[in-house]
Amino acid sequence: MTRSVYVTGIDRGDGRQVVELGVMELLTRHVDRVGVFRPLVHDRPDRLFDLLRARYRLGQPPHTAYGMGYEEAASLQAERGTDALVTELVERFHAVARDHEYVLVLGSDYAATSLPDELGLNARLANEFGAPVITVVGGQDQSGESLRAEAHNAYRAYRARGCDVAALVVNRVAPEDHAAVAGLLAERLPVPCYTLPEDGSLSAPTVSQVVRALDAVVLLGDDAGLSRDVRDFVFGGAMLPTFLPALTEGCLVVTPGDRADLIIGALAAHSAGAPPIAGVLLTLDERPGPDILALASRLAPGTPVVSVPGRSFPTAEQLFALEGKLHAGNPRKAETALGLFDRHVDTAELTNRIAVARSGRVTPMMFEHELIERSRAGRRRVVLPEGTEERVLRAADVLLRRDVCELTLLGEEDTVRKRAAELGIQLTDAQIVDPQTSPLRERFAERYAALRAHKGVTHELAYDVVADVSYFGTLMVQEGLADGMVSGAAHSTAATIRPAFEIIKTAPGARIVSSVFFMCLADRVLVYGDCAVNPDPDAEQLADIAIQSAATAAQFGVEPRIAMLSYSTGTSGSGADVDKVRRATELVRELRPDLLVEGPIQYDAAVDPAVAAAKLPGSRVAGRATVLVFPDLNTGNNTYKAVQRSAGAVAVGPVLQGLRKPVNDLSRGALVQDIVNTVAITAVQAQSQARAPQSQAHPPTGQRSQTQKAPNA
């Protein structure tokens, strides 16, 4: 039976979209097919549904997500009565429920409607849908006692109408009152009550929203600039020396278009990072000449300069009426909203309250959600050496907004902050370290010189080497100043992992450093190893890769069933390559008799039950393998890319394994989401190592270490 949850309120202005987005995130962590239904809608397409559809890759046709428009509903209710209206909406809800495991219902918004007893209609629909209710109460400009009374009234209003109230959420509480209000509400209500503080960045409009609302003309600016949040307005009329100190971070400068001095002054201040502004809005339909615009473009590339025909005062009235909205075109606000929801809502408790049962299969999205959830549960610090790279900064923005981990970015601080400001990114909670000027450089030079003295490395040479961001970041991990490192978006694999081989070295018991990719297919997650590091492992190394890959799979919730891949299955083939895989399989069984392993085995027999039944009947691995170990790098690398491109799989990795501390490499073509996932994986690896600290001893004598193979090691 399809289950559902009904998110509703008692009045307008409660900021309910944050809760609706948060509940959708919670559902998609556990359920494969989630549908959305809004019984009553103002406009089509619906802004929030478009965001949910894009973000969560919903295949649901948009027209099925809506019951009917408010005008149609009011007319039907007036002509045929409430029962007829409810019957029609119930039928349309069940049309969605038939195709989904769980349905998120978005209640009415109480905005400019002519429906009598709108709260009663929401309550009745929730009962007819069989959906527990999450009730949202707006907390703006209200005292704790007032909110306590309103939350009680909201609970009683829905409970009295027969609703199963799963939880209440009091939203947009003044940050300074949040702790007191949360404590007051937690003690006085019969159901869980979660309190969310007001976040100014959610209510801040973007520059593009300003452009649309004022019908402005964009003279300069790119998409990144137009997506910046407008957190303040500064109206320019004074002379430049008086005007500049009035600028604030994220402000929109509003000035007559003939004040070239203020335009250039504001953009020059932005370029210097003191402070970064959102953009410049010109009034009176006055536009600077081409020479001023050319200078402005060079001073602050991408920063919006827009023009409106109106005067400053009526323009100001329009600006102050604007409020930020969640929509598909501004994913940063969605990340902020989700971070807020996850920090202040007990998602495990809420999951139980709304009876969400985990699906039997793991989808790519569910795997990604699990990564984020686990990394947030035990926050670690990850260092990102490529602090000025755009994709890294955008990933850092997501990670910070979602509260995934603590971050250190490497690079010259003014350069990093300026680049972030150009992209509309705030790095308030990130640590920025410049390896060239950091006091740690001397300490790291001494450490590196001691580690590499046997290779003739002097202190002077070490002092130069550790200024390299990859070496500096690796030493931060080695010295315990960071828990893991992720690099490679702009550096080669060798530049990323060579410092790890030299400094961090292999973990006790690991013969080599190897890698895996998590291949997220439509209905399952497979682990491929090794597709990135070892060109032609021998039987002993192949066995080590299999054991490491099984451990990594288990660490991330994939039950390990190992297939040692070859071009033949069982005893059907012979030759040096097959014999190597056969010997590796025997070694895995000797070293780890607790692991399920099969080999040699062909790929189709490993993953397809029908083929497995013909080629290896009775095998506990064939047809259901989850860890696929390739005989060499050529086979593994080409296979993962073929599956990624041809089957539309999400490839997360490479994830390095066998190091004492986590360092992970990125593809130079990595997308922002790839970087986010890899950082989350690194944080989870660091959590595991913190729970089971490893000895710092070198690998036992007689074991071959990847550190001995690394070039120039």
Side-chain angles (χ1 to χ4, degrees):
M1 176 183 173
T2 300
R3 304 197 68 89
S4 58
V5 62
Y6 200 113
V7 181
T8 183
I10 57 174
D11 203 351
R12 64 183 304 179
D14 54 24
R16 197 185 317 156
Q17 295 99 340
V18 173
V19 179
E20 292 167 334
L21 181 64
V23 173
M24 186 66 172
E25 178 85 5
L26 184 154
L27 292 175
T28 55
R29 288 176 189 169
H30 298 84
V31 179
D32 178 17
R33 293 179 294 111
V34 181
V36 178
F37 184 68
R38 189 186 288 282
L40 301 172
V41 63
H42 283 291
D43 302 307
R44 304 183 201 189
D46 177 72
R47 174 175 41 81
L48 183 64
F49 176 72
D50 283 351
L51 168 61
L52 298 178
R53 190 166 185 261
R55 183 177 184 87
Y56 299 106
R57 309 163 200 161
L58 304 183
Q60 180 181 355
H63 72 274
T64 67
Y66 315 121
M68 62 182 69
Y70 278 92
E71 290 185 6
E72 180 187 357
S75 176
L76 177 59
Q77 188 177 37
E79 293 176 7
R80 297 168 51 195
T82 300
D83 286 350
L85 172 62
V86 170
T87 298
E88 183 68 28
L89 292 175
V90 169
E91 288 181 3
R92 298 185 186 187
F93 164 78
H94 283 299
V96 176
R98 280 193 293 270
D99 296 328
H100 298 90
E101 297 175 57
Y102 209 107
V103 179
L104 169 62
V105 185
L106 313 175
S108 66
D109 58 13
Y110 300 89
T113 69
S114 55
L115 291 170
D117 190 17
E118 198 165 339
L119 187 151
L121 178 61
N122 281 303
R124 175 143 180 215
L125 290 174
N127 288 332
E128 297 290 352
F129 297 167
V133 169
I134 298 174
T135 305
V136 184
V137 175
Q140 270 190 313
D141 304 320
Q142 294 199 57
S143 67
E145 282 300 326
S146 172
L147 285 173
R148 184 191 65 80
E150 191 150 348
H152 268 281
N153 290 338
Y155 172 78
R156 284 195 291 265
Y158 281 98
R159 196 74 189 91
R161 289 168 170 83
C163 294
D164 173 15
V165 180
L168 283 94
V169 179
V170 178
N171 191 27
R172 308 188 72 176
V173 175
E176 61 273 17
D177 299 332
H178 174 257
V181 171
L184 184 64
L185 294 176
E187 297 171 358
R188 307 285 181 87
L189 285 162
V191 296
C193 183
Y194 310 114
T195 308
L196 276 56
E198 177 79 85
D199 187 317
S201 65
L202 287 174
S203 56
T206 62
V207 178
S208 62
Q209 187 181 344
V210 170
V211 168
R212 289 193 300 272
L214 275 61
D215 198 22
V217 175
V218 179
L219 305 179
L220 295 174
D222 58 19
D223 289 343
L226 290 168
S227 70
R228 296 177 190 172
D229 290 334
V230 177
R231 286 178 280 151
D232 193 8
F233 301 107
V234 174
F235 294 85
M239 298 303 292
L240 190 60
T242 306
F243 166 74
L244 287 177
L247 295 177
T248 58
E249 185 173 347
C251 71
L252 181 68
V253 173
V254 183
T255 183
D258 59 358
R259 290 297 303 271
D261 57 332
L262 301 187
I263 299 168
I264 297 301
L267 294 174
H270 172 86
S271 180
I277 64 173
V280 179
L281 189 152
L282 308 177
T283 60
L284 300 176
D285 210 19
E286 291 281 345
R287 302 182 187 182
D291 53 341
I292 296 296
L293 286 177
L295 176 58
S297 179
R298 289 194 296 272
L299 270 175
T303 298
V305 177
V306 304
S307 174
V308 295
R311 293 178 291 112
S312 295
F313 183 74
T315 298
E317 287 186 309
Q318 290 178 277
L319 290 173
F320 287 127
L322 289 177
E323 186 170 344
K325 302 291 184 184
L326 294 175
H327 58 85
N330 191 349
R332 290 211 312 275
K333 285 192 186 298
E335 301 294 353
T336 300
L338 290 171
L340 188 71
F341 186 86
D342 281 324
R343 280 193 297 273
H344 298 286
V345 172
D346 185 337
T347 55
E349 178 183 51
L350 186 58
T351 298
N352 290 330
R353 297 282 300 178
I354 61 176
V356 181
R358 184 175 290 275
S359 293
R361 64 179 191 164
V362 178
T363 67
M365 186 174 297
M366 291 164 69
F367 181 75
E368 291 176 4
H369 287 333
E370 183 73 14
L371 284 180
I372 299 298
E373 196 170 11
R374 289 183 61 186
S375 58
R376 187 189 293 112
R379 285 165 58 81
R380 291 293 183 267
R381 178 170 293 279
V382 178
V383 58
L384 305 176
E386 298 156 323
T388 57
E389 161 65 37
E390 178 178 343
R391 289 165 295 157
V392 171
L393 286 168
R394 292 193 183 281
D397 189 36
V398 172
L399 292 160
L400 292 171
R401 288 173 185 268
R402 295 295 306 276
D403 203 29
V404 172
C405 62
E406 296 177 351
L407 290 179
T408 296
L409 297 168
L410 299 187
E412 198 275 321
E413 183 166 3
D414 289 344
T415 303
V416 173
R417 293 200 181 279
K418 178 183 175 182
R419 184 64 180 130
E422 289 170 353
L423 298 169
I425 291 169
Q426 299 177 51
L427 295 176
T428 308
D429 297 325
Q431 178 189 40
I432 301 175
V433 177
D434 183 359
Q436 298 286 340
T437 60
S438 171
L440 292 170
R441 184 176 177 182
E442 179 64 34
R443 169 181 160 185
F444 287 176
E446 292 178 4
R447 178 73 168 133
Y448 184 70
L451 284 170
R452 304 296 289 171
H454 67 289
K455 291 290 184 179
V457 174
T458 63
H459 181 274
E460 291 74 17
L461 177 58
Y463 190 77
D464 290 336
V465 169
V466 301
D468 176 88
V469 291
S470 296
Y471 277 89
F472 194 93
T474 303
L475 281 157
M476 287 190 72
V477 176
Q478 176 65 17
E479 295 294 289
L481 302 174
D483 300 298
M485 184 180 89
V486 173
S487 188
H491 289 83
S492 68
T493 294
T496 299
I497 66 176
R498 182 184 289 115
F501 290 161
E502 294 179 3
I503 297 166
I504 294 176
K505 305 183 185 296
T506 52
R511 291 177 176 273
I512 54 174
V513 173
S514 61
S515 73
V516 296
F517 279 88
F518 289 95
M519 302 299 294
C520 302
L521 305 174
D523 60 349
R524 56 188 152 170
V525 176
L526 301 178
V527 177
Y528 284 11
D530 172 12
C531 303
V533 178
N534 296 285
D536 188 19
D538 60 27
E540 289 76 14
Q541 292 169 333
L542 205 58
D544 194 59
I545 291 169
I547 292 169
Q548 289 185 29
S549 300
T552 301
Q555 186 179 24
F556 290 93
V558 177
E559 183 182 352
R561 294 186 290 272
I562 308 167
M564 306 294 287
L565 297 176
S566 178
Y567 59 77
S568 73
T569 295
T571 58
S572 66
S574 62
D577 292 338
V578 179
D579 291 342
K580 177 180 79 169
V581 175
R582 185 173 289 113
R583 173 60 182 153
T585 306
E586 292 169 356
L587 285 170
V588 173
R589 288 174 176 149
E590 291 172 13
L591 294 168
R592 290 291 304 276
D594 57 308
L595 292 175
L596 293 177
V597 59
E598 189 70 70
I601 185 171
Q602 292 160 288
Y603 190 98
D604 58 350
V607 300
D608 188 320
V611 177
K615 292 188 174 182
L616 279 177
S619 170
R620 298 171 66 189
V621 172
R624 51 199 297 267
T626 56
V627 177
L628 297 109
V629 179
F630 293 90
D632 54 63
L633 185 61
N634 180 51
T635 307
N637 192 270
N638 279 295
T639 302
Y640 107 76
K641 288 180 178 176
V643 173
Q644 180 186 34
R645 301 298 178 184
S646 301
V650 176
V652 180
V655 178
L656 298 185
Q657 50 193 16
L659 288 168
R660 294 172 187 265
K661 297 185 178 184
V663 171
N664 282 311
D665 179 38
L666 297 166
S667 163
R668 273 175 279 182
L671 303 176
V672 171
Q673 189 59 44
D674 298 333
I675 301 172
V676 170
N677 289 338
T678 304
V679 171
I681 281 175
T682 306
V684 173
Q685 287 179 314
Q687 291 170 8
S688 297
Q689 292 190 349
R691 287 192 293 269
Q694 296 175 330
S695 165
Q696 295 300 304
H698 290 285
T701 302
Q703 290 188 348
R704 280 172 291 177
S705 166
Q706 182 69 39
T707 58
Q708 296 170 325
K709 292 173 55 183
N712 302 322

